[in-house]
């Protein structure tokens, strides 16, 4: 009974993991990068590199809002929306934005941004068009080129599989504490298993938390039925009920003067004396239906819903305010969402999240490599690889080596594409997918050690190219970032160089294996088999 | 400085957990640990890890729980690297760990 239980759990762990491992790798990879979403976006916009948030950032917010409203009144009085995005520690620029005229048949015309140096108040050069870190953020749960809702369902199913794989993995790992610090190098499959175990165990609380909370963030899409039953207007009614500031007003064409902003600001600072405001937006300015929405930062509170106030834009009265005291259910849902997004994290915790994310990527990568390696080892001398094995090996190579290369291509395209080119942001994304497709096609034909070796070198060169091309095409470089204490930019370049070093080590290791004399060992026989197959 | 203390305690705890095991102790000290030594390592490990968790929670509440999970991951990673690739360096690493613990603890006690 006991043996059959462990066998069935092992079987489940293997297949549940293998079926979705490539998608999970993409989700983890993009999710890990998006912990530094704002920093990646900053790197992608060299025009903003020299900016630093002022020391007295919060004290300046009142003046910045008043100046912003004055600017928007003068620049875009006819616009349907105004937004004032205040500088934060991670996004140092001050941004006054307004909605451009809506094209025929569209609900939104897109934003026109006007960036300002928060220290000097001078206007900045318009940064290049890029999605930056937002691309990876969206990619990790919306995927790309497919319907958002379908993508989220697919990602949720993969997450559910991951949760099952994690729990069954804990059950089948009999020596979970004994082998906690063990990594036996140069032992073939044993080393891969150790790598899989160590990367799983060292961040196990994170892996379980991030997978479970990932499902929770989309729980109302997965399971909307209680809200649909309780509310006449379904899930929208539910959200309006729990978020009082979600009030939607019907737009009016009747002109009406905007309320005095000082009056609104007085109310904000009376309610929240030490507020760190992040956004001040006005819908339908200079119209009878005008509303003002103000959002504040949650700081390091384990809370995802930002404190929000909604004002009438004509008389300045407070229409709605986010609740200060949540019910226990709301606290549970909101804190789980906060844990997943990691928006609360200061730099130390953000790096720890990143480390755990990398551990997750290694766990998935070692898992899928190990499956193919074990099948190869079990094969008889003259046996040909099955279609399934070839498929898994191809997908392994395409995903594990293709994604880092595609990411480098995205950043290189950011620096090399002409700044004024139309739909520039989409072209960066296209560079990402074309590179990935090229690696996938390459893997379709050959997927032996030699191809891993070649791609390791290509990846190493690509990783070095990112900071190098940055230094050649912008005023900054890794050295200047270090000297000027621009830690976000310095860390970005440093991570690229560390990745390059790791790919060089991987290539050297593979070179040693390719050059080793073909002794009659089991693992060498496997290598020979794969070579024979290729030649065939 | 409090973050350094929290992390040093966490690292010390996992180091003690590792040294309580026969194979890791032998890799570092080239001898077998006695039953009593193993027990002392385990007791020290539990005290140290609970202190680290306590400091995280007292200082940062819920946020501290997240930090603690991160510290655990980083500690296990560092120890795995040392025990698997440079077991001889564990003694020096332990000494640095204890020095950091004393410095950060003293700094917090004084200021």
């Amino acid at each position: 009974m006991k043996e059959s239980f462990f066998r069935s759990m092992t079987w489940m762990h293997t297949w549940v993991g293998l079926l979705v491992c490539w998608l999970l790798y993409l989700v983890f990879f993009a999710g890990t990068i998006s912990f530094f979403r704002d920093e990646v976006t900053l790197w992608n916009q060299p025009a903003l590199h020299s900016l630093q948030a002022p020391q007295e950032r919060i004290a300046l917010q009142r003046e910045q809002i008043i100046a912003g409203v004055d600017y928007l009144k003068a620049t875009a009085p006819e616009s349907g929306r105004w937004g004032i995005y205040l500088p934060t520690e991670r996004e140092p620029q001050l941004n006054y934005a307004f909605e451009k005229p809506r094209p025929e048949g569209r609900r939104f015309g897109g934003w026109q941004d006007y960036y300002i140096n928060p220290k000097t108040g001078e206007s900045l050069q318009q940064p290049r068009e890029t999605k930056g870190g937002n691309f990876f953020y969206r990619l990790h749960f919306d995927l790309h080129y497919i319907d958002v809702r379908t993508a989220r369902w697919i990602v949720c199913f993969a997450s559910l599989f991951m949760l099952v794989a994690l729990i069954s993995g804990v059950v089948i790992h009999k020596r979970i504490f004994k082998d906690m610090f063990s990594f036996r190098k140069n032992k073939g499959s044993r080393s891969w298993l150790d790598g899989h175990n160590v990367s799983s165990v060292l961040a196990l609380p994170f892996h379980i938390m991030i997978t479970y909370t990932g499902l929770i963030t989309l729980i109302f899409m997965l399971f909307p039925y209680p809200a649909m039953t309780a509310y006449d207007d379904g899930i929208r009614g539910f959200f309006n009920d729990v978020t009082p500031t979600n009030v939607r007003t019907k737009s009016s064409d009747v002109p009406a003067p905007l309320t005095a902003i000082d009056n609104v600001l007085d109310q904000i600072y009376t309610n929240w004396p030490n507020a760190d405001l992040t956004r001040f937006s006005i819908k339908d300015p200079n119209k009878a239906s005008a509303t003002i929405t103000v959002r504040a930062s949650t700081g390091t509170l384990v809370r995802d819903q930002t404190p929000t106030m909604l004002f009438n834009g004509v008389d300045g009265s407070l229409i709605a305010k986010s609740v200060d005291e949540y019910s226990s259910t709301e606290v549970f849902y909101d804190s789980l969402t906060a844990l997943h997004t990691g928006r609360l994290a200061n730099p130390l915790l953000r790096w720890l999240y990143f480390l755990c994310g990398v551990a997750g990527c290694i766990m998935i990568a070692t898992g899928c490599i190990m499956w193919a390696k074990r099948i190869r080892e079990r094969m008889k001398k003259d046996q040909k690889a099955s279609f399934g094995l070839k498929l898994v090996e191809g997908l392994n190579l395409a995903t594990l080596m293709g994604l880092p290369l595609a990411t480098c291509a995205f950043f290189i395209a950011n620096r090399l594409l002409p700044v004024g080119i139309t739909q520039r942001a989409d072209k960066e994304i296209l560079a990402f997918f074309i590179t990935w497709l090229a690696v996938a096609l390459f893997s379709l034909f050959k997927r032996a050690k030699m191809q891993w070796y070649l791609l390791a070198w290509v990846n190493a060169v690509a990783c070095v190219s990112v900071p190098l091309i940055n230094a050649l095409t912008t005023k900054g470089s890794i050295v200047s970032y270090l000297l000027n204490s621009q830690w976000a930019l310095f860390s970005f370049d440093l991570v690229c160089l560390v990745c390059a070093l790791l790919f060089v080590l991987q290539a050297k290791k593979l070179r040693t294996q390719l050059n080793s004399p073909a002794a009659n060992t089991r693992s060498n026989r496997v290598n020979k088999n794969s070579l024979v197959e290729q030649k065939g | 400085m409090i973050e350094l203390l929290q992390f040093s305690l966490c690292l010390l705890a996992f180091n003690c957990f590792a040294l309580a095991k026969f194979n890791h102790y032998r890799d570092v000290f080239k001898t077998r640990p006695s039953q009593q030594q193993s027990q002392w390592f385990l007791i020290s490990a539990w005290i140290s890890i609970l202190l680290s968790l306590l400091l995280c929670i007292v200082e940062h509440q819920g946020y501290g729980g997240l930090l603690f999970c991160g510290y655990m991951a980083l500690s296990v990673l560092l120890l795995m690297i040392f025990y698997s690739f440079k077991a001889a360096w564990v003694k020096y690493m332990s000494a640095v760990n204890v020095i950091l613990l004393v410095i950060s603890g003293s700094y917090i006690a004084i200021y």
Side-chain angles (χ1 to χ4, degrees):
Chain A
M1 171 68 195
K2 198 178 169 188
E3 265 311 300
S4 76
F5 172 73
F6 273 101
R7 267 193 198 169
S8 55
M9 290 301 263
T10 309
W11 180 89
M12 185 167 71
H13 180 75
T14 307
W15 287 102
V16 162
L18 186 73
L19 278 176
V20 290
C21 62
W22 305 284
L23 176 61
L24 281 175
Y25 185 79
L26 169 69
V27 172
F28 257 75
F29 185 87
T32 303
I33 293 176
S34 54
F35 283 132
F36 286 108
R37 172 158 65 137
D38 293 342
E39 289 76 5
V40 170
T41 307
L42 179 69
W43 190 91
N44 276 19
Q45 295 176 321
L48 306 178
H49 280 191
S50 57
L51 289 188
Q52 277 183 337
Q55 294 279 325
E56 63 286 10
R57 186 176 59 81
I58 296 173
L60 289 172
Q61 287 179 341
R62 191 184 178 107
E63 286 171 37
Q64 289 169 340
I65 291 169
I66 293 170
V69 172
D70 287 344
Y71 170 81
L72 292 165
K73 266 182 189 171
T75 315
E78 300 296 322
S79 172
R81 280 169 210 259
W82 295 347
I84 298 169
Y85 299 88
L86 296 158
T88 63
E89 280 158 11
R90 297 176 64 203
E91 289 179 293
Q93 73 279 11
L94 173 62
N95 181 9
Y96 299 148
F98 61 87
E99 190 192 347
K100 290 186 273 192
R102 288 170 202 174
E104 196 77 8
R106 290 185 66 178
R107 288 174 61 194
F108 186 64
W111 289 102
Q112 175 68 52
D113 298 301
Y114 176 72
Y115 290 96
I116 289 161
N117 185 334
K119 273 188 173 172
T120 60
E122 289 167 2
S123 60
L124 294 163
Q125 184 196 339
Q126 185 71 15
R128 60 188 67 187
E129 189 196 332
T130 178
K131 287 268 191 276
N134 289 327
F135 164 63
F136 294 99
Y137 173 69
R138 285 280 161 195
L139 181 69
H140 114 272
F141 63 100
D142 280 352
L143 307 179
H144 209 80
Y145 297 130
I146 56 171
D147 172 57
V148 167
R149 203 174 162 79
T150 313
R152 289 183 184 186
W153 270 99
I154 294 170
V155 171
C156 282
F157 267 112
S159 304
L160 190 66
F161 276 45
M162 169 100 176
L163 200 59
V164 172
L166 280 171
I167 295 166
S168 55
V170 172
V171 173
I172 61 172
H173 191 359
K174 293 177 189 170
R175 293 162 59 92
I176 193 163
F177 291 114
K178 273 192 172 177
D179 286 347
M180 200 168 189
F181 311 102
S182 300
F183 177 78
R184 281 152 283 197
K185 52 185 176 177
N186 301 326
K187 292 270 194 286
S189 286
R190 183 74 242 181
S191 299
W192 286 104
L193 181 61
D194 280 348
H196 184 66
N197 289 343
V198 166
S199 55
S200 318
V201 173
L202 77 86
L204 188 63
F206 171 85
H207 296 329
I208 294 175
M209 177 276 282
I210 211 79
T211 313
Y212 179 66
T213 54
L215 285 167
I216 292 293
T217 52
L218 295 173
I219 195 71
F220 294 111
M221 183 197 76
L222 298 170
F223 199 62
Y225 309 108
M228 284 166 72
T229 313
Y231 290 87
D232 290 337
D233 46 352
I235 203 84
R236 185 174 291 284
F238 166 73
F239 278 123
N240 287 343
D241 196 20
V242 294
T243 320
T245 52
N246 250 5
V247 178
R248 282 179 181 230
T249 49
K250 206 173 176 191
S251 289
S252 149
D253 286 331
V254 181
L258 194 67
T259 184
I261 296 302
D262 266 324
N263 169 33
V264 173
L265 290 169
D266 286 342
Q267 291 185 65
I268 295 166
Y269 287 110
T270 310
N271 277 287
W272 300 327
N274 303 313
D276 177 6
L277 304 180
T278 54
R279 197 195 307 175
F280 189 96
S281 42
I282 302 175
K283 185 173 165 277
D284 295 335
N286 302 320
K287 285 178 188 158
S289 55
T291 53
I292 300 174
T293 308
V294 184
R295 292 184 196 280
S297 165
T298 49
T300 56
L301 280 179
V302 187
R303 239 176 96 166
D304 200 58
Q305 284 261 359
T306 51
T308 308
M309 278 191 204
L310 183 73
F311 294 93
N312 184 309
V314 178
D315 62 16
S317 60
L318 181 68
I319 300 172
K321 179 173 172 269
S322 56
V323 287
D324 295 324
E325 292 292 321
Y326 282 134
S327 70
S328 48
T329 319
E330 283 172 314
V331 169
F332 179 74
Y333 173 73
D334 201 48
S335 54
L336 289 187
T337 311
L339 291 182
H340 187 86
T341 57
R343 281 191 271 261
L344 73 170
N346 64 15
L348 172 66
L349 184 61
R350 199 165 290 282
W351 277 107
L352 292 172
Y353 259 92
F354 183 80
L355 172 77
C356 293
V358 172
C361 292
I362 296 173
M363 171 182 75
I364 297 164
T366 47
C368 45
I369 289 174
M370 202 162 54
W371 185 88
K373 210 166 166 57
R374 281 195 168 164
I375 299 289
R376 281 263 171 214
E377 283 181 359
R378 280 184 210 147
M379 280 168 54
K380 286 175 189 159
K381 206 174 175 181
D382 301 321
Q383 197 179 346
K384 276 201 165 183
S386 64
F387 170 74
L389 178 58
K390 285 181 189 170
L391 181 69
V392 169
E393 285 178 339
L395 285 169
N396 284 350
L397 184 60
T399 314
L400 306 182
M401 301 304 271
L403 260 178
L405 191 63
T407 305
C408 290
F410 176 81
F411 292 124
I412 293 169
N414 175 269
R415 288 295 186 266
L416 295 185
L417 283 174
V419 175
I421 197 171
T422 52
Q423 295 184 319
R424 194 177 186 285
D426 290 339
K427 291 194 168 76
E428 285 176 14
I429 295 170
L430 195 62
F432 176 92
F433 284 107
I434 286 177
T435 310
W436 197 9
L437 181 68
V439 177
L441 290 174
F442 178 71
S443 318
L444 202 67
F445 298 107
K446 289 188 174 184
R447 54 210 156 264
K449 272 205 174 92
M450 180 52 87
Q451 281 67 51
W452 282 85
Y453 170 74
L454 289 173
L455 279 175
W457 273 118
V458 174
N459 266 301
V461 171
C463 285
V464 170
S465 304
V466 174
L468 198 68
I469 291 173
N470 173 51
L472 293 172
T473 54
T474 67
K475 288 173 189 165
S477 68
I478 188 167
V479 181
S480 71
Y481 299 148
L482 178 65
L483 295 175
N484 298 325
S485 308
Q486 291 171 288
W487 300 118
L489 302 171
F490 172 74
S491 308
F492 185 100
D493 281 5
L494 186 68
V495 167
C496 287
L497 293 179
V498 170
C499 290
L501 181 69
L502 292 174
F503 280 119
V504 170
L505 291 176
Q506 184 196 14
K508 285 195 165 183
K509 183 89 184 162
L510 286 165
R511 179 82 259 174
T512 316
Q513 287 180 5
L514 286 166
N515 286 343
S516 62
N520 198 17
T521 60
R522 201 176 183 186
S523 57
N524 280 330
R525 197 171 68 226
V526 174
N527 295 341
K528 273 171 73 182
N529 275 350
S530 60
L531 285 172
V532 166
E533 214 168 77
Q534 267 189 41
K535 282 175 190 167
Chain B
M1 202 49 103
I2 187 80
E3 281 85 6
L4 185 61
L5 180 64
Q6 292 158 354
F7 173 67
S8 305
L9 279 168
C10 192
L11 183 63
L12 181 73
F14 280 103
N15 200 7
C16 289
F17 277 130
L19 288 172
K21 290 183 193 355
F22 164 74
N23 54 336
H24 293 314
Y25 187 94
R26 188 194 51 196
D27 290 343
V28 177
F29 297 105
K30 314 287 179 212
T31 56
R32 277 168 164 274
S34 67
Q35 190 71 25
Q36 205 182 11
Q37 274 174 320
S38 287
Q39 276 189 346
W40 274 115
F41 275 125
L42 276 181
I43 292 167
S44 314
W46 278 111
I47 292 171
S48 188
I49 202 165
L50 288 174
L51 262 177
S52 175
L53 176 62
L54 192 72
L55 276 175
C56 287
I57 299 294
V58 168
E59 188 65 23
H60 306 286
Q61 291 81 46
Y63 187 84
L66 282 174
L67 268 180
F68 179 71
C69 287
Y71 292 149
M72 286 201 297
L74 185 57
S75 305
V76 175
L77 177 68
L78 284 175
L79 291 169
M80 184 275 290
I81 292 169
F82 274 104
Y83 280 99
S84 304
F85 298 95
K86 291 282 173 197
W89 290 11
V90 170
K91 284 182 204 167
Y92 308 111
M93 190 272 295
S94 308
V96 171
N97 184 9
V98 172
I99 290 167
L100 286 177
L101 189 64
V102 171
I103 290 172
S104 54
S106 312
Y107 181 88
I108 287 161
I110 294 165
Y111 299 103

